[in-house]
Amino acid sequence: MTGRDALFDLAVNRASSYVQRLDSYNHVTDEGEMVKLLEAWALRTRFASRFDLRAIARILLEKPADGSHWAGGKNGTWRG
């Protein structure tokens, strides 16, 4: 795994923590809505601009409800 993969994992996991604290998170059903939720987070997170918010949004929409974390870079997976 590269440093960029590790940074991507960090971005996904931090974004996940951020959106889970929002009341509207449970009602988000599509990528565009998720991107809107992530925009404020991305503005405050220095390294977030290195990654496509749409890619992170797609990943977050697939997150299982079991408290999993993302690992493996852009081609990674949710792990319990």
PDB file of all heavy atoms in Angstrom, residues 29-62:
ATOM      1  N   THR A  29     -29.557   9.542  -0.027  1.00  0.00           N
ATOM      2  CA  THR A  29     -29.736   8.356  -0.860  1.00  0.00           C
ATOM      3  C   THR A  29     -28.960   8.397  -2.169  1.00  0.00           C
ATOM      4  O   THR A  29     -28.885   7.400  -2.858  1.00  0.00           O
ATOM      5  CB  THR A  29     -31.225   8.157  -1.199  1.00  0.00           C
ATOM      6  OG1 THR A  29     -31.704   9.327  -1.871  1.00  0.00           O
ATOM      7  CG2 THR A  29     -32.037   7.897   0.063  1.00  0.00           C
ATOM      8  N   ASP A  30     -28.403   9.563  -2.502  1.00  0.00           N
ATOM      9  CA  ASP A  30     -27.658   9.601  -3.764  1.00  0.00           C
ATOM     10  C   ASP A  30     -26.344  10.363  -3.629  1.00  0.00           C
ATOM     11  O   ASP A  30     -26.106  11.072  -2.649  1.00  0.00           O
ATOM     12  CB  ASP A  30     -28.496  10.125  -4.927  1.00  0.00           C
ATOM     13  CG  ASP A  30     -28.776  11.615  -4.885  1.00  0.00           C
ATOM     14  OD1 ASP A  30     -28.000  12.380  -4.285  1.00  0.00           O
ATOM     15  OD2 ASP A  30     -29.771  12.027  -5.482  1.00  0.00           O
ATOM     16  N   GLU A  31     -25.531  10.179  -4.625  1.00  0.00           N
ATOM     17  CA  GLU A  31     -24.174  10.722  -4.635  1.00  0.00           C
ATOM     18  C   GLU A  31     -24.149  12.244  -4.524  1.00  0.00           C
ATOM     19  O   GLU A  31     -23.342  12.811  -3.784  1.00  0.00           O
ATOM     20  CB  GLU A  31     -23.503  10.273  -5.929  1.00  0.00           C
ATOM     21  CG  GLU A  31     -22.068  10.561  -6.037  1.00  0.00           C
ATOM     22  CD  GLU A  31     -21.507  10.021  -7.340  1.00  0.00           C
ATOM     23  OE1 GLU A  31     -21.684   8.816  -7.631  1.00  0.00           O
ATOM     24  OE2 GLU A  31     -20.897  10.816  -8.068  1.00  0.00           O
ATOM     25  N   GLY A  32     -25.029  12.922  -5.241  1.00  0.00           N
ATOM     26  CA  GLY A  32     -25.069  14.378  -5.211  1.00  0.00           C
ATOM     27  C   GLY A  32     -25.374  14.926  -3.830  1.00  0.00           C
ATOM     28  O   GLY A  32     -24.763  15.901  -3.381  1.00  0.00           O
ATOM     29  N   GLU A  33     -26.316  14.301  -3.143  1.00  0.00           N
ATOM     30  CA  GLU A  33     -26.654  14.720  -1.777  1.00  0.00           C
ATOM     31  C   GLU A  33     -25.467  14.501  -0.847  1.00  0.00           C
ATOM     32  O   GLU A  33     -25.186  15.328   0.025  1.00  0.00           O
ATOM     33  CB  GLU A  33     -27.856  13.939  -1.264  1.00  0.00           C
ATOM     34  CG  GLU A  33     -29.154  14.269  -1.954  1.00  0.00           C
ATOM     35  CD  GLU A  33     -30.281  13.363  -1.501  1.00  0.00           C
ATOM     36  OE1 GLU A  33     -30.027  12.372  -0.778  1.00  0.00           O
ATOM     37  OE2 GLU A  33     -31.426  13.634  -1.872  1.00  0.00           O
ATOM     38  N   MET A  34     -24.776  13.378  -1.015  1.00  0.00           N
ATOM     39  CA  MET A  34     -23.629  13.082  -0.166  1.00  0.00           C
ATOM     40  C   MET A  34     -22.504  14.085  -0.419  1.00  0.00           C
ATOM     41  O   MET A  34     -21.849  14.545   0.521  1.00  0.00           O
ATOM     42  CB  MET A  34     -23.139  11.655  -0.396  1.00  0.00           C
ATOM     43  CG  MET A  34     -22.013  11.246   0.541  1.00  0.00           C
ATOM     44  SD  MET A  34     -22.462  11.205   2.288  1.00  0.00           S
ATOM     45  CE  MET A  34     -23.344   9.647   2.352  1.00  0.00           C
ATOM     46  N   VAL A  35     -22.278  14.434  -1.675  1.00  0.00           N
ATOM     47  CA  VAL A  35     -21.244  15.428  -2.000  1.00  0.00           C
ATOM     48  C   VAL A  35     -21.561  16.745  -1.298  1.00  0.00           C
ATOM     49  O   VAL A  35     -20.669  17.387  -0.736  1.00  0.00           O
ATOM     50  CB  VAL A  35     -21.113  15.621  -3.525  1.00  0.00           C
ATOM     51  CG1 VAL A  35     -20.284  16.851  -3.859  1.00  0.00           C
ATOM     52  CG2 VAL A  35     -20.503  14.381  -4.163  1.00  0.00           C
ATOM     53  N   LYS A  36     -22.822  17.148  -1.293  1.00  0.00           N
ATOM     54  CA  LYS A  36     -23.204  18.389  -0.616  1.00  0.00           C
ATOM     55  C   LYS A  36     -22.901  18.325   0.870  1.00  0.00           C
ATOM     56  O   LYS A  36     -22.441  19.307   1.459  1.00  0.00           O
ATOM     57  CB  LYS A  36     -24.675  18.700  -0.849  1.00  0.00           C
ATOM     58  CG  LYS A  36     -24.946  19.200  -2.238  1.00  0.00           C
ATOM     59  CD  LYS A  36     -26.395  19.545  -2.439  1.00  0.00           C
ATOM     60  CE  LYS A  36     -26.586  19.992  -3.880  1.00  0.00           C
ATOM     61  NZ  LYS A  36     -27.951  20.401  -4.152  1.00  0.00           N
ATOM     62  N   LEU A  37     -23.150  17.185   1.485  1.00  0.00           N
ATOM     63  CA  LEU A  37     -22.814  17.028   2.899  1.00  0.00           C
ATOM     64  C   LEU A  37     -21.300  17.119   3.128  1.00  0.00           C
ATOM     65  O   LEU A  37     -20.855  17.635   4.146  1.00  0.00           O
ATOM     66  CB  LEU A  37     -23.311  15.688   3.437  1.00  0.00           C
ATOM     67  CG  LEU A  37     -24.798  15.522   3.679  1.00  0.00           C
ATOM     68  CD1 LEU A  37     -25.082  14.131   4.228  1.00  0.00           C
ATOM     69  CD2 LEU A  37     -25.310  16.572   4.642  1.00  0.00           C
ATOM     70  N   LEU A  38     -20.537  16.612   2.191  1.00  0.00           N
ATOM     71  CA  LEU A  38     -19.078  16.567   2.339  1.00  0.00           C
ATOM     72  C   LEU A  38     -18.383  17.889   2.036  1.00  0.00           C
ATOM     73  O   LEU A  38     -17.220  18.072   2.414  1.00  0.00           O
ATOM     74  CB  LEU A  38     -18.502  15.488   1.421  1.00  0.00           C
ATOM     75  CG  LEU A  38     -18.804  14.046   1.790  1.00  0.00           C
ATOM     76  CD1 LEU A  38     -18.327  13.116   0.686  1.00  0.00           C
ATOM     77  CD2 LEU A  38     -18.159  13.694   3.123  1.00  0.00           C
ATOM     78  N   GLU A  39     -19.046  18.809   1.367  1.00  0.00           N
ATOM     79  CA  GLU A  39     -18.391  20.049   0.960  1.00  0.00           C
ATOM     80  C   GLU A  39     -17.835  20.845   2.135  1.00  0.00           C
ATOM     81  O   GLU A  39     -16.710  21.330   2.082  1.00  0.00           O
ATOM     82  CB  GLU A  39     -19.334  20.900   0.114  1.00  0.00           C
ATOM     83  CG  GLU A  39     -19.519  20.328  -1.273  1.00  0.00           C
ATOM     84  CD  GLU A  39     -20.574  21.039  -2.100  1.00  0.00           C
ATOM     85  OE1 GLU A  39     -21.378  21.828  -1.538  1.00  0.00           O
ATOM     86  OE2 GLU A  39     -20.595  20.788  -3.317  1.00  0.00           O
ATOM     87  N   ALA A  40     -18.592  20.985   3.207  1.00  0.00           N
ATOM     88  CA  ALA A  40     -18.104  21.729   4.379  1.00  0.00           C
ATOM     89  C   ALA A  40     -16.907  21.021   5.002  1.00  0.00           C
ATOM     90  O   ALA A  40     -15.927  21.665   5.393  1.00  0.00           O
ATOM     91  CB  ALA A  40     -19.223  21.890   5.403  1.00  0.00           C
ATOM     92  N   TRP A  41     -16.962  19.709   5.083  1.00  0.00           N
ATOM     93  CA  TRP A  41     -15.841  18.929   5.610  1.00  0.00           C
ATOM     94  C   TRP A  41     -14.600  19.134   4.747  1.00  0.00           C
ATOM     95  O   TRP A  41     -13.499  19.349   5.263  1.00  0.00           O
ATOM     96  CB  TRP A  41     -16.220  17.445   5.664  1.00  0.00           C
ATOM     97  CG  TRP A  41     -15.057  16.543   5.903  1.00  0.00           C
ATOM     98  CD1 TRP A  41     -14.475  16.267   7.108  1.00  0.00           C
ATOM     99  CD2 TRP A  41     -14.326  15.803   4.928  1.00  0.00           C
ATOM    100  NE1 TRP A  41     -13.421  15.412   6.930  1.00  0.00           N
ATOM    101  CE2 TRP A  41     -13.314  15.111   5.594  1.00  0.00           C
ATOM    102  CE3 TRP A  41     -14.436  15.667   3.545  1.00  0.00           C
ATOM    103  CZ2 TRP A  41     -12.406  14.288   4.933  1.00  0.00           C
ATOM    104  CZ3 TRP A  41     -13.538  14.848   2.888  1.00  0.00           C
ATOM    105  CH2 TRP A  41     -12.540  14.172   3.580  1.00  0.00           C
ATOM    106  N   ALA A  42     -14.774  19.092   3.437  1.00  0.00           N
ATOM    107  CA  ALA A  42     -13.640  19.224   2.518  1.00  0.00           C
ATOM    108  C   ALA A  42     -12.976  20.594   2.634  1.00  0.00           C
ATOM    109  O   ALA A  42     -11.753  20.700   2.513  1.00  0.00           O
ATOM    110  CB  ALA A  42     -14.099  18.975   1.081  1.00  0.00           C
ATOM    111  N   LEU A  43     -13.744  21.625   2.879  1.00  0.00           N
ATOM    112  CA  LEU A  43     -13.178  22.961   3.034  1.00  0.00           C
ATOM    113  C   LEU A  43     -12.304  23.074   4.281  1.00  0.00           C
ATOM    114  O   LEU A  43     -11.350  23.848   4.302  1.00  0.00           O
ATOM    115  CB  LEU A  43     -14.292  24.014   3.085  1.00  0.00           C
ATOM    116  CG  LEU A  43     -15.025  24.263   1.775  1.00  0.00           C
ATOM    117  CD1 LEU A  43     -16.209  25.188   2.012  1.00  0.00           C
ATOM    118  CD2 LEU A  43     -14.072  24.838   0.734  1.00  0.00           C
ATOM    119  N   ARG A  44     -12.628  22.300   5.311  1.00  0.00           N
ATOM    120  CA  ARG A  44     -11.876  22.361   6.567  1.00  0.00           C
ATOM    121  C   ARG A  44     -10.749  21.334   6.642  1.00  0.00           C
ATOM    122  O   ARG A  44      -9.963  21.357   7.574  1.00  0.00           O
ATOM    123  CB  ARG A  44     -12.820  22.153   7.747  1.00  0.00           C
ATOM    124  CG  ARG A  44     -13.792  23.282   7.929  1.00  0.00           C
ATOM    125  CD  ARG A  44     -14.519  23.184   9.253  1.00  0.00           C
ATOM    126  NE  ARG A  44     -15.087  21.881   9.524  1.00  0.00           N
ATOM    127  CZ  ARG A  44     -16.355  21.543   9.340  1.00  0.00           C
ATOM    128  NH1 ARG A  44     -17.192  22.421   8.850  1.00  0.00           N
ATOM    129  NH2 ARG A  44     -16.786  20.353   9.641  1.00  0.00           N
ATOM    130  N   THR A  45     -10.706  20.431   5.697  1.00  0.00           N
ATOM    131  CA  THR A  45      -9.720  19.351   5.735  1.00  0.00           C
ATOM    132  C   THR A  45      -8.700  19.584   4.628  1.00  0.00           C
ATOM    133  O   THR A  45      -9.015  19.477   3.451  1.00  0.00           O
ATOM    134  CB  THR A  45     -10.422  17.987   5.541  1.00  0.00           C
ATOM    135  OG1 THR A  45     -11.461  17.887   6.507  1.00  0.00           O
ATOM    136  CG2 THR A  45      -9.456  16.841   5.710  1.00  0.00           C
ATOM    137  N   ARG A  46      -7.471  19.887   5.006  1.00  0.00           N
ATOM    138  CA  ARG A  46      -6.454  20.290   4.033  1.00  0.00           C
ATOM    139  C   ARG A  46      -6.214  19.262   2.936  1.00  0.00           C
ATOM    140  O   ARG A  46      -6.086  19.605   1.777  1.00  0.00           O
ATOM    141  CB  ARG A  46      -5.130  20.580   4.732  1.00  0.00           C
ATOM    142  CG  ARG A  46      -5.160  21.833   5.549  1.00  0.00           C
ATOM    143  CD  ARG A  46      -3.813  22.129   6.100  1.00  0.00           C
ATOM    144  NE  ARG A  46      -3.382  21.046   6.977  1.00  0.00           N
ATOM    145  CZ  ARG A  46      -2.246  21.029   7.616  1.00  0.00           C
ATOM    146  NH1 ARG A  46      -1.410  22.025   7.484  1.00  0.00           N
ATOM    147  NH2 ARG A  46      -1.925  20.031   8.395  1.00  0.00           N
ATOM    148  N   PHE A  47      -6.149  18.008   3.277  1.00  0.00           N
ATOM    149  CA  PHE A  47      -5.800  16.996   2.281  1.00  0.00           C
ATOM    150  C   PHE A  47      -6.989  16.518   1.452  1.00  0.00           C
ATOM    151  O   PHE A  47      -6.822  15.819   0.464  1.00  0.00           O
ATOM    152  CB  PHE A  47      -5.100  15.801   2.925  1.00  0.00           C
ATOM    153  CG  PHE A  47      -5.949  15.048   3.904  1.00  0.00           C
ATOM    154  CD1 PHE A  47      -6.774  14.026   3.476  1.00  0.00           C
ATOM    155  CD2 PHE A  47      -5.902  15.338   5.250  1.00  0.00           C
ATOM    156  CE1 PHE A  47      -7.556  13.312   4.370  1.00  0.00           C
ATOM    157  CE2 PHE A  47      -6.670  14.628   6.161  1.00  0.00           C
ATOM    158  CZ  PHE A  47      -7.497  13.623   5.712  1.00  0.00           C
ATOM    159  N   ALA A  48      -8.201  16.900   1.826  1.00  0.00           N
ATOM    160  CA  ALA A  48      -9.392  16.427   1.108  1.00  0.00           C
ATOM    161  C   ALA A  48      -9.407  16.892  -0.342  1.00  0.00           C
ATOM    162  O   ALA A  48      -9.929  16.203  -1.212  1.00  0.00           O
ATOM    163  CB  ALA A  48     -10.653  16.890   1.825  1.00  0.00           C
ATOM    164  N   SER A  49      -8.804  18.026  -0.617  1.00  0.00           N
ATOM    165  CA  SER A  49      -8.822  18.556  -1.983  1.00  0.00           C
ATOM    166  C   SER A  49      -8.014  17.689  -2.944  1.00  0.00           C
ATOM    167  O   SER A  49      -8.144  17.814  -4.157  1.00  0.00           O
ATOM    168  CB  SER A  49      -8.287  19.983  -2.002  1.00  0.00           C
ATOM    169  OG  SER A  49      -6.934  19.997  -1.583  1.00  0.00           O
ATOM    170  N   ARG A  50      -7.218  16.780  -2.433  1.00  0.00           N
ATOM    171  CA  ARG A  50      -6.428  15.882  -3.279  1.00  0.00           C
ATOM    172  C   ARG A  50      -7.270  14.763  -3.883  1.00  0.00           C
ATOM    173  O   ARG A  50      -6.799  14.042  -4.756  1.00  0.00           O
ATOM    174  CB  ARG A  50      -5.293  15.259  -2.478  1.00  0.00           C
ATOM    175  CG  ARG A  50      -4.313  16.257  -1.960  1.00  0.00           C
ATOM    176  CD  ARG A  50      -3.242  15.575  -1.176  1.00  0.00           C
ATOM    177  NE  ARG A  50      -2.364  16.552  -0.565  1.00  0.00           N
ATOM    178  CZ  ARG A  50      -1.297  16.244   0.115  1.00  0.00           C
ATOM    179  NH1 ARG A  50      -0.965  14.982   0.289  1.00  0.00           N
ATOM    180  NH2 ARG A  50      -0.556  17.183   0.641  1.00  0.00           N
ATOM    181  N   PHE A  51      -8.478  14.604  -3.391  1.00  0.00           N
ATOM    182  CA  PHE A  51      -9.315  13.487  -3.819  1.00  0.00           C
ATOM    183  C   PHE A  51     -10.656  13.976  -4.345  1.00  0.00           C
ATOM    184  O   PHE A  51     -11.165  15.015  -3.944  1.00  0.00           O
ATOM    185  CB  PHE A  51      -9.530  12.511  -2.661  1.00  0.00           C
ATOM    186  CG  PHE A  51      -8.259  11.989  -2.090  1.00  0.00           C
ATOM    187  CD1 PHE A  51      -7.786  12.414  -0.866  1.00  0.00           C
ATOM    188  CD2 PHE A  51      -7.491  11.090  -2.813  1.00  0.00           C
ATOM    189  CE1 PHE A  51      -6.595  11.940  -0.354  1.00  0.00           C
ATOM    190  CE2 PHE A  51      -6.292  10.607  -2.314  1.00  0.00           C
ATOM    191  CZ  PHE A  51      -5.843  11.037  -1.083  1.00  0.00           C
ATOM    192  N   ASP A  52     -11.245  13.180  -5.202  1.00  0.00           N
ATOM    193  CA  ASP A  52     -12.547  13.468  -5.788  1.00  0.00           C
ATOM    194  C   ASP A  52     -13.636  13.208  -4.748  1.00  0.00           C
ATOM    195  O   ASP A  52     -13.783  12.074  -4.271  1.00  0.00           O
ATOM    196  CB  ASP A  52     -12.725  12.578  -7.024  1.00  0.00           C
ATOM    197  CG  ASP A  52     -14.062  12.733  -7.691  1.00  0.00           C
ATOM    198  OD1 ASP A  52     -14.731  13.763  -7.470  1.00  0.00           O
ATOM    199  OD2 ASP A  52     -14.436  11.826  -8.448  1.00  0.00           O
ATOM    200  N   LEU A  53     -14.383  14.246  -4.409  1.00  0.00           N
ATOM    201  CA  LEU A  53     -15.460  14.081  -3.419  1.00  0.00           C
ATOM    202  C   LEU A  53     -16.520  13.094  -3.892  1.00  0.00           C
ATOM    203  O   LEU A  53     -17.125  12.394  -3.088  1.00  0.00           O
ATOM    204  CB  LEU A  53     -16.124  15.419  -3.107  1.00  0.00           C
ATOM    205  CG  LEU A  53     -15.433  16.318  -2.093  1.00  0.00           C
ATOM    206  CD1 LEU A  53     -16.277  17.561  -1.831  1.00  0.00           C
ATOM    207  CD2 LEU A  53     -15.158  15.600  -0.804  1.00  0.00           C
ATOM    208  N   ARG A  54     -16.732  13.024  -5.194  1.00  0.00           N
ATOM    209  CA  ARG A  54     -17.723  12.070  -5.720  1.00  0.00           C
ATOM    210  C   ARG A  54     -17.292  10.634  -5.436  1.00  0.00           C
ATOM    211  O   ARG A  54     -18.119   9.789  -5.111  1.00  0.00           O
ATOM    212  CB  ARG A  54     -17.950  12.283  -7.201  1.00  0.00           C
ATOM    213  CG  ARG A  54     -18.702  13.564  -7.488  1.00  0.00           C
ATOM    214  CD  ARG A  54     -19.371  13.528  -8.851  1.00  0.00           C
ATOM    215  NE  ARG A  54     -20.283  14.647  -8.986  1.00  0.00           N
ATOM    216  CZ  ARG A  54     -21.520  14.674  -8.514  1.00  0.00           C
ATOM    217  NH1 ARG A  54     -22.013  13.653  -7.882  1.00  0.00           N
ATOM    218  NH2 ARG A  54     -22.273  15.742  -8.691  1.00  0.00           N
ATOM    219  N   ALA A  55     -16.014  10.360  -5.559  1.00  0.00           N
ATOM    220  CA  ALA A  55     -15.513   9.007  -5.266  1.00  0.00           C
ATOM    221  C   ALA A  55     -15.723   8.684  -3.792  1.00  0.00           C
ATOM    222  O   ALA A  55     -16.162   7.583  -3.445  1.00  0.00           O
ATOM    223  CB  ALA A  55     -14.040   8.891  -5.641  1.00  0.00           C
ATOM    224  N   ILE A  56     -15.428   9.638  -2.931  1.00  0.00           N
ATOM    225  CA  ILE A  56     -15.626   9.425  -1.497  1.00  0.00           C
ATOM    226  C   ILE A  56     -17.112   9.261  -1.194  1.00  0.00           C
ATOM    227  O   ILE A  56     -17.511   8.393  -0.415  1.00  0.00           O
ATOM    228  CB  ILE A  56     -14.992  10.565  -0.686  1.00  0.00           C
ATOM    229  CG1 ILE A  56     -13.463  10.517  -0.851  1.00  0.00           C
ATOM    230  CG2 ILE A  56     -15.387  10.477   0.785  1.00  0.00           C
ATOM    231  CD1 ILE A  56     -12.722  11.677  -0.224  1.00  0.00           C
ATOM    232  N   ALA A  57     -17.951  10.068  -1.826  1.00  0.00           N
ATOM    233  CA  ALA A  57     -19.405   9.972  -1.621  1.00  0.00           C
ATOM    234  C   ALA A  57     -19.926   8.594  -2.013  1.00  0.00           C
ATOM    235  O   ALA A  57     -20.727   7.993  -1.291  1.00  0.00           O
ATOM    236  CB  ALA A  57     -20.118  11.063  -2.416  1.00  0.00           C
ATOM    237  N   ARG A  58     -19.483   8.082  -3.168  1.00  0.00           N
ATOM    238  CA  ARG A  58     -19.921   6.747  -3.611  1.00  0.00           C
ATOM    239  C   ARG A  58     -19.546   5.685  -2.587  1.00  0.00           C
ATOM    240  O   ARG A  58     -20.331   4.789  -2.280  1.00  0.00           O
ATOM    241  CB  ARG A  58     -19.309   6.411  -4.965  1.00  0.00           C
ATOM    242  CG  ARG A  58     -20.024   7.011  -6.136  1.00  0.00           C
ATOM    243  CD  ARG A  58     -19.554   6.451  -7.462  1.00  0.00           C
ATOM    244  NE  ARG A  58     -18.141   6.700  -7.719  1.00  0.00           N
ATOM    245  CZ  ARG A  58     -17.647   7.798  -8.270  1.00  0.00           C
ATOM    246  NH1 ARG A  58     -18.448   8.783  -8.624  1.00  0.00           N
ATOM    247  NH2 ARG A  58     -16.353   7.921  -8.478  1.00  0.00           N
ATOM    248  N   ILE A  59     -18.350   5.791  -2.074  1.00  0.00           N
ATOM    249  CA  ILE A  59     -17.881   4.821  -1.075  1.00  0.00           C
ATOM    250  C   ILE A  59     -18.722   4.913   0.193  1.00  0.00           C
ATOM    251  O   ILE A  59     -19.132   3.893   0.757  1.00  0.00           O
ATOM    252  CB  ILE A  59     -16.384   5.034  -0.777  1.00  0.00           C
ATOM    253  CG1 ILE A  59     -15.553   4.618  -1.992  1.00  0.00           C
ATOM    254  CG2 ILE A  59     -15.960   4.279   0.470  1.00  0.00           C
ATOM    255  CD1 ILE A  59     -14.100   5.041  -1.927  1.00  0.00           C
ATOM    256  N   LEU A  60     -19.001   6.122   0.643  1.00  0.00           N
ATOM    257  CA  LEU A  60     -19.784   6.295   1.873  1.00  0.00           C
ATOM    258  C   LEU A  60     -21.207   5.769   1.727  1.00  0.00           C
ATOM    259  O   LEU A  60     -21.783   5.263   2.689  1.00  0.00           O
ATOM    260  CB  LEU A  60     -19.812   7.764   2.280  1.00  0.00           C
ATOM    261  CG  LEU A  60     -18.476   8.357   2.726  1.00  0.00           C
ATOM    262  CD1 LEU A  60     -18.647   9.825   3.090  1.00  0.00           C
ATOM    263  CD2 LEU A  60     -17.883   7.580   3.873  1.00  0.00           C
ATOM    264  N   LEU A  61     -21.765   5.873   0.535  1.00  0.00           N
ATOM    265  CA  LEU A  61     -23.123   5.368   0.315  1.00  0.00           C
ATOM    266  C   LEU A  61     -23.189   3.851   0.412  1.00  0.00           C
ATOM    267  O   LEU A  61     -24.253   3.293   0.649  1.00  0.00           O
ATOM    268  CB  LEU A  61     -23.648   5.838  -1.044  1.00  0.00           C
ATOM    269  CG  LEU A  61     -24.004   7.316  -1.113  1.00  0.00           C
ATOM    270  CD1 LEU A  61     -24.275   7.731  -2.551  1.00  0.00           C
ATOM    271  CD2 LEU A  61     -25.203   7.628  -0.227  1.00  0.00           C
ATOM    272  N   GLU A  62     -22.055   3.190   0.267  1.00  0.00           N
ATOM    273  CA  GLU A  62     -22.013   1.730   0.343  1.00  0.00           C
ATOM    274  C   GLU A  62     -21.583   1.218   1.714  1.00  0.00           C
ATOM    275  O   GLU A  62     -21.463   0.012   1.922  1.00  0.00           O
ATOM    276  CB  GLU A  62     -21.044   1.192  -0.710  1.00  0.00           C
ATOM    277  CG  GLU A  62     -21.467   1.500  -2.124  1.00  0.00           C
ATOM    278  CD  GLU A  62     -20.420   1.116  -3.148  1.00  0.00           C
ATOM    279  OE1 GLU A  62     -19.343   0.627  -2.757  1.00  0.00           O
ATOM    280  OE2 GLU A  62     -20.673   1.314  -4.343  1.00  0.00           O
TER     281      GLU A  62
END
